[in-house]
Amino acid sequence: MSTMNTVGRPTAPNAVDHDYKHPTLTGGRGLLQDELLIFESDGWGKTGVDLPDPKGAASDLGDLVRKDPIGLPGLSEPEAMRHYVRLSQKNHAIDLALYPLGSCTMKHNPRLNEKMARLPGFSDIHPLQPISTVQGALELMDQLSHWLKTLTGMPAVALSPKAGAHGELCGLMAIRAAHEASGQHEQRRKVLVPTSAHGTNPATAAFVGYTVVEVAQTGDGRVDVADLASKLGPDVAAIMVTNPNTCGLFERDILEISRLTHEAGAYFYCDGANFNAIVGRVRPGDLGVDAMHINLHKTFSTPHGGGGPGAGPVVLSAALAPFAPAPWVVHGSDGYELIEREEGDAAQAFGRLCAFQGQMGMYVRALSYMMSHGADGLRQVAEDAVLNANYIKARLSDVMSAAFPDGPCMHEALFDDEWLKGTDITTLDFAKAMIDEGFHPMTMYFPLVVHGAMLIEPTETESKAELDRFINALRLLAEAAKAGEVERFKGAPFHAPLRRLDETRAARTPVLRWTAPEGTNIAAE
Amino acid sequence: MRYLPLTPDDRTAMLAAIGAKSIDDLFVDVPQAARRDGFVDLPHVMGELEVDRALSAMAGRNVAAGSRPFFCGAGAYKHHVPATVDHIIQRSEFLTSYTPYQPEIAQGTLQYLYEFQTQVANLTGMPVANASLYDGSTAMAEGVLMATRVTRRNKAVISGGVHPHYVRATETVVHAVGVETQALAAAVDAEAAVIDAIGPDTACVVVQTPNVFGTATDVTKIAEAAHAAGALLIVVVTEAVSMGLLKSPGEMGADIVAAEGQSIGNALNFGGPYVGLFAAREKLIRQMPGRLTGETVDADGERGFVLTLSTREQHIRRDKATSNICTNSGLCTLAFTIHMSLLGETGLRKLALLNHEKAVATRDALAAIPGVEILTPRFFNEFAVKLPKNAAEVVDQLAAHHVLAGVPYSRLAPEAGMDDVLLVAATETTLDPDIQILAKSLTKVLGA
């Protein structure tokens, strides 16, 4: 492996010289360093932590002791810093530039939230410490619950779901428990889900054992109420509707949808992924929602961290509140208490979703964000998110084709690929070319109901100047596409650490871990 | 409103560009009856200083583990996390990035996920690992569901040594899809008893080692019995550091490993966010839940990494997906990976041995107290003791003496009738004076 190290590029068997950049001797590109895997370093036997020497072997454990090498290289502290800093430089991030992923809500992550979450009184407390020693943590959970209930106009909240999809699971399990309690579970086996829903919606319904029935969409991007009504009946447990929906539109008929649903004896699950578009202006409780998860990372800015952790508290209507899972906080005679099991007042709780209290670290960040904005600031959040999206839609509609040109959008602007017809350039090509202009691509090919969809969500933390910069880049790209500059798109990205990755190869012959080349000795010294 | 960059003039200009008279024009689709004109009844905007004070006051009402002798475990462990770990994960490019859907500009995330998968596979002794799940308990639930898919059988046998909260979290989810569970009675040395419960309809056997009472067991024979019956063995590990000292689950015949990774790189955080480790035999990879990162090449033939095998996932398969999960614990996996890279094999083995020695020293100190009975025969860094009094009451009294003495088993499972059982954990952060203070305080509380 040391030979690999001196070569610089460990596994580039098919590497070819490319004429778009000047080849270097080492493979480095200016400040952008190639970086080996830690397993290709010379770190077998090395460690970057100083620990006192143990006194002896674990003789009392006998043959339970692990003998063979594990295969874990070590790095000294400076090597570790460099390794991960070099890797970091190959990532796009919201702190670098606008990150217009629709339906993902990439907004500024205030560092105050991070500072608060790291206070030892929050980060260094154990989930099973005596309740008397975690009163402040329970107070924080109680406060967060109060904010969420007030903002949504809902009477109860289950904090423990660990992500949005986990929240969907929580909501559907509460619905299921309610039908079980009323003796209707056996007959109500269907969940209605619009075609435009996030993939997690049907996956969750199936995960809880329901049959998923799709509901059609109207030409103007909303739930087809007639189709919904025709499918509602005594065999339906719930509907799952995203509002604002994944086309970036408010469901105009939402009150009718909830009325019909309740008339049919079903519950209304709302996917709250897009709550940031209406927070402070519309309360889901006023729309007849029975359960809705709130992605704290989206609406309340806890960082996405390369894929998580998220947090997905679920607000519940009075009908579903008794079924909320343990644990939850109550006001006791002597401070806050934690209900940890299904008994007494909590006898109808549907169970438990995870080992402990949920994503406490995310609760701190979310409450910090909420308090920083306040009721007035959160309303401004929704207004600016919607204003920014409509501004993008208005400024790009003459060069790209808006999927739903009539009327305003909410927090995201949706385009289709109609305007690319005849250019030989696809949505994917266009998105990859955006990378060369310094932006992360928008969400592509979603929602599925729009051909070649491009879903752009700027969020409320973008300035007008940054929006104009983004709009200018897209306008120039659109003009280049129409002018026939196909190569600019087909080969893109040219200015990224890597060019188009072969995803088919990765799936066809999965290589999911590093393995030592034959004859390598990786034994720890 | 320091996080909102638009000025009033910007808003006016933008509304004009849109062709709207006011912001209300953009909310026309909201039914009149559901529009709220005023503000909700919550405090208004607060400056950074005010928020800092309010939250710091709440944090100040908690007792931090590092501030006193601390012996709580039962699925969450106080370890020292090198400063470098938290520094690196706060770098913008990691902290504020998203799921690596655009691999060309997400190689940083994808490469560390690949390193994580390799570390977890090697640590658990399994051929492949995914890019993490929410936590150990949800990983166990996913493991059981996966086993029922693979075996086309419907029943899970769960050892009485598995953490009761893990059992409950699993039952909650798997019962919803009609999977049956047979949870055996809690017992300190429960693992061997599961063999008798294995039958022809068993999809999987779930054991934990070290188990919730701290007992470390060689589960090889259980694996053999499970395999002979056509069932899979799921091994749960709540203390990842233990795998640095003990035989790996893979070595003992596990088919699926569901573990909690909090111990490496991640703080206690009152229970979350944590990081679920999930590893399995190679032939099961297309049935695995969650994200996977794979190696491939780019257009120039250079090595790179992408999210892969996504045809198992919810965004492709919708209601046919292997799981509804659409995320992983990205930043927590990064913390795990950095800490593990700093430790290396040498450091991890040393750390594990230190943990064990601290626990042995703690046990020896407690064993010398009249009336205290050590229940756990072989353990890694946690053991159970039987007290002559109600353990929860003893813990509360010791808390008043500024000692956090452990977790009463009744907190996890009051129905088990083990009100006098206390779970005591020690780690490398346990200092010798801490052990002396615990022993002295416990003697005092019991002697009263």
Side-chain angles (χ1 to χ4, degrees):
Chain A
M1 275 170 296
S2 55
T3 52
M4 288 181 181
N5 221 348
T6 54
V7 170
R9 281 176 190 270
T11 56
N14 317 324
V16 291
D17 275 339
H18 16 80
D19 51 14
Y20 64 92
K21 64 179 181 224
H22 192 76
T24 58
L25 298 170
T26 60
R29 287 166 219 170
L31 292 180
L32 194 59
Q33 303 279 332
D34 271 305
E35 188 62 10
L36 302 168
L37 290 162
I38 51 173
F39 302 92
E40 293 158 346
S41 69
D42 289 327
W44 307 106
K46 192 182 272 190
T47 183
V49 295
D50 291 331
L51 291 164
D53 285 325
K55 294 185 183 83
S59 52
D60 53 330
L61 284 166
D63 64 356
L64 278 174
V65 173
R66 185 169 191 153
K67 291 181 188 70
D68 295 337
I70 306 174
L72 297 167
L75 301 173
S76 65
E77 194 171 303
E79 288 172 305
M81 277 306 296
R82 257 186 212 159
H83 177 69
Y84 291 104
V85 168
R86 283 176 182 165
L87 289 190
S88 77
Q89 293 181 322
K90 299 179 182 191
N91 268 4
H92 187 84
I94 188 64
D95 285 352
L96 283 170
L98 189 147
Y99 211 134
L101 277 173
S103 212
C104 301
T105 314
M106 296 301 289
K107 63 171 76 169
H108 173 60
N109 299 137
R111 294 315 193 267
L112 176 63
N113 303 353
E114 297 303 308
K115 183 182 171 193
M116 295 299 97
R118 286 173 171 79
L119 293 170
F122 292 134
S123 66
D124 192 29
I125 53 174
H126 190 281
L128 298 167
Q129 272 179 231
I131 296 299
S132 63
T133 65
V134 290
Q135 285 293 303
L138 299 184
E139 181 186 355
L140 184 130
M141 289 168 69
D142 190 61
Q143 281 278 319
L144 178 68
S145 300
H146 177 70
W147 280 75
L148 291 174
K149 287 188 285 189
T150 307
L151 288 169
T152 56
M154 307 277 282
V157 59
L159 289 184
S160 68
K162 288 190 159 263
H166 209 214
E168 290 177 26
L169 185 64
C170 174
L172 279 204
M173 295 204 59
I175 286 167
R176 184 189 154 115
H179 285 312
E180 277 172 352
S182 69
Q184 293 189 53
H185 172 62
E186 291 308 319
Q187 75 182 65
R188 293 188 180 274
R189 306 299 305 140
K190 289 182 186 165
V191 169
L192 308 187
V193 184
T195 46
S196 62
H198 291 134
T200 47
N201 291 177
T204 302
F207 203 69
V208 184
Y210 286 114
T211 304
V212 176
V213 178
E214 288 202 334
V215 178
Q217 183 141 3
T218 60
D220 66 351
R222 270 88 173 179
V223 171
D224 185 329
V225 180
D227 190 51
L228 177 78
S230 74
K231 288 170 178 165
L232 276 168
D235 55 348
V236 174
I239 61 163
M240 297 181 89
V241 172
T242 306
N243 189 41
N245 69 23
T246 53
C247 297
L249 303 170
F250 196 91
E251 292 289 348
R252 276 186 218 117
D253 299 318
I254 194 85
L255 295 175
E256 178 71 356
I257 290 171
S258 68
R259 187 182 67 79
L260 289 169
T261 302
H262 291 143
E263 261 179 25
Y267 289 102
F268 179 3
Y269 186 90
C270 182
D271 182 321
N274 302 330
F275 187 50
N276 66 318
I278 57 171
V279 63
R281 280 194 74 108
V282 181
R283 301 190 310 176
D286 297 336
L287 304 174
V289 168
D290 290 297
M292 182 179 93
H293 72 268
I294 299 166
N295 303 73
L296 294 183
H297 43 293
K298 294 185 178 182
T299 302
F300 301 110
S301 87
T302 71
H304 289 71
V314 175
V315 285
L316 296 164
S317 63
L320 296 182
F323 307 101
W328 69 80
V329 176
V330 293
H331 299 249
S333 53
D334 193 22
Y336 295 98
E337 289 171 11
L338 194 60
I339 302 295
E340 294 187 286
R341 60 195 62 259
E342 309 106 88
E343 60 191 19
D345 290 346
Q348 287 185 284
F350 73 69
R352 168 181 277 279
L353 281 172
C354 58
F356 303 117
Q357 278 77 256
Q359 309 288 62
M360 177 67 182
M362 299 296 122
Y363 305 159
V364 181
R365 290 170 173 89
L367 186 63
S368 169
Y369 187 81
M370 289 172 177
M371 291 171 78
S372 296
H373 282 88
D376 46 343
L378 288 173
R379 190 179 165 94
Q380 192 69 56
V381 160
E383 293 182 359
D384 286 356
V386 170
L387 180 62
N388 282 355
N390 278 282
Y391 182 63
I392 284 178
K393 182 180 167 193
R395 294 279 322 274
L396 290 177
S397 284
D398 61 327
V399 290
M400 295 164 62
S401 42
F404 302 102
D406 300 332
C409 58
M410 295 303 283
H411 61 300
E412 46 197 2
L414 180 59
F415 297 89
D416 58 28
D417 61 358
E418 184 65 29
W419 65 283
L420 282 173
K421 261 194 184 161
T423 62
D424 197 29
I425 292 163
T426 65
T427 293
L428 177 75
D429 299 328
F430 185 76
K432 295 295 184 190
M434 283 171 66
I435 293 174
D436 286 335
E437 306 302 329
F439 293 101
H440 193 282
M442 68 285 269
T443 293
M444 303 175 295
Y445 302 106
F446 181 84
L448 306 173
V449 290
V450 168
H451 196 269
M454 304 178 204
L455 185 61
I456 301 175
E457 179 173 10
T459 82
E460 69 278 6
T461 60
E462 296 303 332
S463 68
K464 180 170 178 295
E466 181 76 358
L467 293 174
D468 286 336
R469 205 170 74 84
F470 175 74
I471 288 163
N472 181 52
L474 260 61
R475 291 187 70 87
L476 292 173
L477 279 174
E479 283 160 15
K482 287 171 185 171
E485 291 183 34
V486 178
E487 206 31 49
R488 173 181 298 283
F489 296 89
K490 286 287 170 207
F494 295 100
H495 300 284
L498 291 178
R499 295 182 62 213
R500 292 220 192 161
L501 276 301
D502 187 347
E503 306 201 21
T504 310
R505 169 174 161 153
R508 197 165 289 156
T509 49
V511 181
L512 305 177
R513 61 178 289 186
W514 181 85
T515 43
E518 229 169 289
T520 311
N521 179 17
I522 60 164
E525 285 158 15
Chain B
M1 290 170 196
R2 58 197 180 277
Y3 307 144
L4 301 177
L6 297 184
T7 65
D9 285 350
D10 289 337
R11 293 186 183 112
T12 306
M14 290 164 73
L15 283 169
I18 295 163
K21 283 200 269 312
S22 74
I23 193 77
D24 288 335
D25 286 2
L26 304 181
F27 285 84
V28 288
D29 290 329
V30 179
Q32 199 68 47
R35 288 190 213 172
R36 297 186 66 83
D37 292 326
F39 297 126
V40 290
D41 185 16
L42 289 166
H44 282 213
V45 59
M46 282 188 203
E48 184 159 330
L49 178 64
E50 283 174 281
V51 177
D52 193 327
R53 286 205 176 144
L55 288 176
S56 295
M58 282 186 225
R61 288 193 269 282
N62 299 320
V63 176
S67 70
R68 58 198 55 189
F70 184 86
F71 298 89
C72 300
Y77 298 89
K78 163 81 182 162
H79 291 286
H80 174 73
V81 179
T84 300
V85 174
D86 197 47
H87 182 86
I88 294 173
I89 70 165
Q90 287 197 69
R91 279 189 67 90
S92 286
E93 303 90 331
F94 290 131
L95 184 76
T96 77
S97 62
Y98 191 65
T99 303
Y101 288 142
Q102 299 292 335
E104 296 86 357
I105 47 171
Q107 284 299 303
T109 298
L110 287 159
Q111 183 167 332
Y112 82 64
L113 289 178
Y114 189 78
E115 291 177 347
F116 171 83
Q117 287 176 184
T118 308
Q119 286 172 334
V120 172
N122 290 356
L123 185 65
T124 55
M126 303 297 287
V128 286
N130 75 7
S132 80
L133 296 176
Y134 308 135
D135 72 355
S137 65
T138 53
M140 171 173 156
E142 292 284 352
V144 169
L145 289 174
M146 179 172 147
T148 59
R149 285 195 300 273
V150 170
T151 60
R152 298 175 191 279
R153 296 181 184 179
N154 204 34
K155 190 170 152 192
V157 172
I158 303 174
S159 155
V162 179
H163 195 296
H165 284 180
Y166 278 50
V167 177
R168 196 67 201 107
T170 297
E171 285 176 342
T172 299
V173 170
V174 307
H175 286 176
V177 281
V179 173
E180 288 173 45
T181 52
Q182 183 185 353
L184 305 181
V188 173
D189 207 352
E191 270 40 70
V194 299
I195 290 179
D196 294 338
I198 299 172
D201 58 346
T202 305
C204 60
V205 182
V206 188
V207 297
Q208 179 179 327
T209 182
N211 73 17
V212 70
F213 299 98
T215 310
T217 307
D218 189 333
V219 297
T220 306
K221 287 206 164 54
I222 303 172
E224 286 163 6
H227 295 155
L232 303 183
L233 178 69
I234 301 178
V235 174
V236 171
V237 181
T238 61
E239 169 53 295
V241 175
S242 69
M243 289 183 276
L245 178 64
L246 302 176
K247 252 190 208 176
S248 72
E251 236 181 307
M252 299 188 288
D255 298 288
I256 298 169
V257 178
E260 175 54 65
Q262 175 267 327
S263 279
I264 298 174
N266 288 279
L268 286 168
N269 285 321
F270 200 42
Y274 287 178
V275 46
L277 314 183
F278 194 94
R281 299 260 169 240
E282 198 141 23
K283 63 179 182 194
L284 304 178
I285 56 175
R286 285 170 204 273
Q287 284 297 326
M288 275 171 85
R291 290 202 177 124
L292 291 166
T293 295
E295 186 185 309
T296 188
V297 293
D298 82 345
D300 297 323
E302 311 250 9
R303 177 176 68 180
F305 304 95
V306 293
L307 293 181
T308 194
L309 298 180
S310 57
T311 49
R312 308 159 297 122
E313 291 188 67
Q314 41 77 26
H315 63 273
I316 308 262
R317 293 263 286 166
R318 295 174 81 82
D319 57 331
K320 303 282 190 297
T322 55
S323 158
N324 76 329
I325 287 174
C326 93
T327 186
N328 67 328
S329 293
L331 208 61
C332 300
T333 65
L334 177 60
F336 179 102
T337 297
I338 300 165
H339 192 184
M340 191 63 102
S341 304
L342 283 166
L343 285 165
E345 184 149 346
T346 315
L348 179 69
R349 284 181 185 267
K350 204 167 171 182
L351 177 68
L353 201 49
L354 274 171
N355 270 255
H356 179 63
E357 285 187 357
K358 294 290 187 184
V360 168
T362 308
R363 176 199 62 191
D364 292 347
L366 297 189
I369 301 172
V372 174
E373 186 190 338
I374 307 296
L375 298 177
T376 310
R378 293 163 308 280
F379 58 85
F380 169 62
N381 70 351
E382 184 165 20
F383 56 91
V385 295
K386 192 170 157 59
L387 300 177
K389 282 187 173 180
N390 181 294
E393 286 167 18
V394 170
V395 164
D396 285 342
Q397 286 170 7
L398 286 169
H401 282 82
H402 307 296
V403 178
L404 295 176
V407 177
Y409 186 73
S410 64
R411 175 101 185 251
L412 303 172
E415 68 283 357
M418 295 191 191
D419 292 351
D420 52 0
V421 172
L422 178 66
L423 308 178
V424 180
T427 70
E428 80 285 357
T429 67
T430 309
L431 304 178
D432 291 341
D434 297 339
I435 299 172
Q436 289 158 22
I437 293 169
L438 171 69
K440 211 165 138 190
S441 310
L442 185 59
T443 308
K444 202 152 129 196
V445 165
L446 294 180

